[in-house]
Amino acid sequence: MKVIFFSMHPYEEEFLGPILPSDWDVEMTPDFLDETTVEKAKGAQVVSLFVSDKADGPVLEALHSYGVGLLALRSAGYDHIDIETAKRLGIKVVNVPAYSPHAIADHTLAIMLALIRRLHRAHDKVRLGDFDLDGLMGFDLNGKVAGVIGLGKIGRLVATRLKAFGCKVLGYDPYIQPEIVENVDLDTLITQADIISIHCPLTRENFHMFNEETFKRMKPGAILVNTARGGLIDTKALLEALKSGKLGGAALDVYEYERGLFFKNHQKEGIKDPYLAQLLGLANVVLTGHQAFLTREAVKNIEETTVENILEWQKNPQAKLKNEI
C-alpha cells in the first residue's frame, strides 16, 4: 500500500519515521497539496494532509481518479477539506481529534501575555540596547473580564487558566455548556469582555464572526486572541479596528490568508501579502505562524494517531472508522 504525506516537515519525520509499518510504500514531500501538486498522489491509496493543504472539489476529483481511498488528516480541523465532495466520491476522511489541547491552551496564554505585557516590543528594544520602559505599559489580568468562544477541550483549558489569573470568565458555545464558566450569549460576551479568546472550528456559519460590526460592539481597547482559524476574523476589518484604536491589540497564531504562506521561510523574497505586512508593522499585534500545536507531546500524538487511523482503514476500508469525519 502506498501512502504519501504532503506538507511534511522535519519535526514530524522525527516522530513518524520510527513508527511507519514496513509493508507501506511511503513517500514524504514538503510540497503543499493543491491542484498544481495533486499528480504526486498518483499510485497512492492513502494521502495524508496538514492544515496548509487544500482538498477542494477539483483536487478530490483527481485523487478519486487515481484510486485514493483515504485522506488522513494530521490535524483536528478539516475546514480545508470539501467533506461533502469526499463523501460523494467515496473517499473516507479521518482526523486527529485531540492530540494535545494543553499545547494550544498554553500557547494561547503565552501570546496573550506577550501582547498584554508588551513582551514583543520589550524584546526588540533590549536587543538594541534600549532599556527605556516608554511604550511598554501593560495591564493586570486579575479582575478583568475574559470571554472564551468555543468551550471544547481547548476552550475549557483556557478558561481554567484565565480563572487562575483572577479573571471573571464568560463563555459562549451553542453546543457545549460546561459548568466551569458563566455561559452567556455571544453579544453579551462581545460587549462585556476585556479579552476575547477564540476556540471554535471554522464553518460556513461563523466565517468572519469578527467583522466591522463585531468590532464596533466590543469594549474600547479590548484584546482579541485567535489560535483557532484565520477565517473567523475579517482581516481588513481587524486592521481598521487596530489602527483606529478601537481594538487594543490582537494576539494571533492563525491568519485568514495563511495557506501557501505559513510553514515556509520567506526571508529572501520578503512578505508580499499586504494585509500580513500591515499586521506585522503594528506595535499592538503579536503574531506567530500557526505554531500553537508545536510541542513534542502534541506532534508525537499526531503522528501516532495518523498511523493508527491508516492501519484501521487498511484492515477494513469499508468499515466505519473511529476518527472518521
Side-chain angles (χ1 to χ4, degrees):
M1 182 177 73
K2 182 175 180 179
V3 182
I4 181 168
F5 292 82
F6 281 90
S7 295
M8 181 55 58
H9 302 93
Y11 59 78
E12 289 188 272
E13 291 185 41
E14 175 186 350
F15 297 97
L16 181 61
I19 63 173
L20 288 171
S22 59
D23 63 331
W24 289 3
D25 176 11
V26 174
E27 180 179 348
M28 299 182 187
T29 175
D31 294 337
F32 299 128
L33 173 66
D34 60 21
E35 61 277 3
T36 68
T37 61
V38 67
E39 285 191 355
K40 289 178 175 287
K42 283 184 176 179
Q45 290 75 52
V46 179
V47 171
S48 181
L49 287 69
F50 192 52
V51 294
S52 49
D53 297 306
K54 181 176 72 173
D56 58 8
V59 170
L60 289 169
E61 292 283 358
L63 292 176
H64 176 65
S65 71
Y66 302 154
V68 172
L70 179 71
L71 295 185
L73 310 185
R74 305 193 305 282
S75 64
Y78 48 88
D79 52 282
H80 53 310
I81 312 297
D82 185 339
I83 296 297
E84 292 181 3
T85 298
K87 288 183 177 179
R88 176 176 61 80
L89 295 172
I91 300 175
K92 287 182 177 288
V93 182
V94 289
N95 69 343
V96 183
Y99 41 86
S100 177
H102 290 281
I104 312 296
D106 289 350
H107 193 80
T108 298
L109 268 292
I111 60 174
M112 182 188 299
L113 288 167
L115 176 66
I116 290 170
R117 297 307 305 269
R118 307 291 189 259
L119 297 186
H120 58 306
R121 297 194 65 191
H123 178 71
D124 290 342
K125 285 166 65 77
V126 167
R127 285 173 64 89
L128 295 173
D130 181 0
F131 294 87
D132 188 336
L133 299 182
D134 187 43
L136 302 181
M137 183 71 72
F139 62 82
D140 291 353
L141 271 176
N142 183 61
K144 296 299 185 294
V145 178
V148 177
I149 298 176
L151 296 169
K153 293 180 180 179
I154 297 169
R156 292 198 297 273
L157 288 173
V158 170
T160 300
R161 284 158 169 73
L162 288 169
K163 289 175 73 174
F165 274 94
C167 292
K168 175 185 177 182
V169 181
L170 305 178
Y172 169 75
D173 193 312
Y175 307 104
I176 304 170
Q177 301 296 319
E179 299 299 324
I180 63 169
V181 297
E182 180 182 343
N183 299 302
V184 297
D185 61 81
L186 184 58
D187 192 65
T188 298
L189 186 149
I190 288 170
T191 56
Q192 293 187 9
D194 301 294
I195 302 157
I196 297 177
S197 192
I198 312 173
H199 301 285
C200 53
L202 176 62
T203 66
R204 292 190 184 96
E205 292 72 27
N206 64 18
F207 177 73
H208 282 182
M209 169 189 288
F210 282 83
N211 51 49
E212 183 179 357
E213 291 303 314
T214 315
F215 291 128
K216 287 180 180 178
R217 301 202 309 275
M218 290 176 67
K219 291 177 69 172
I223 298 296
L224 182 63
V225 184
N226 187 11
T227 55
R229 286 293 183 267
L232 295 164
I233 299 176
D234 181 336
T235 304
K236 184 179 180 181
L238 172 66
L239 281 165
E240 292 173 355
L242 289 166
K243 290 177 180 179
S244 69
K246 171 60 180 175
L247 197 62
L252 311 170
D253 184 55
V254 289
Y255 170 59
E256 185 176 1
Y257 306 111
E258 69 180 59
R259 181 163 292 126
L261 181 61
F262 280 16
F263 308 110
K264 296 287 185 180
N265 188 336
H266 300 279
Q267 289 185 82
K268 290 184 179 179
E269 70 270 26
I271 302 299
K272 298 179 180 179
D273 182 304
Y275 289 146
L276 183 58
Q278 289 181 68
L279 283 171
L280 292 172
L282 294 176
N284 56 346
V285 172
V286 170
L287 191 146
T288 53
H290 208 138
Q291 72 173 76
F293 75 97
L294 196 60
T295 66
R296 296 188 65 83
E297 294 83 358
V299 174
K300 182 174 183 290
N301 288 339
I302 288 170
E303 308 311 327
E304 288 177 347
T305 303
T306 299
V307 170
E308 290 169 3
N309 283 341
I310 298 172
L311 284 170
E312 184 185 8
W313 178 82
Q314 183 181 20
K315 183 178 180 180
N316 190 350
Q318 305 305 319
K320 176 69 176 178
L321 306 176
K322 176 183 176 183
N323 294 321
E324 184 174 344
I325 298 168

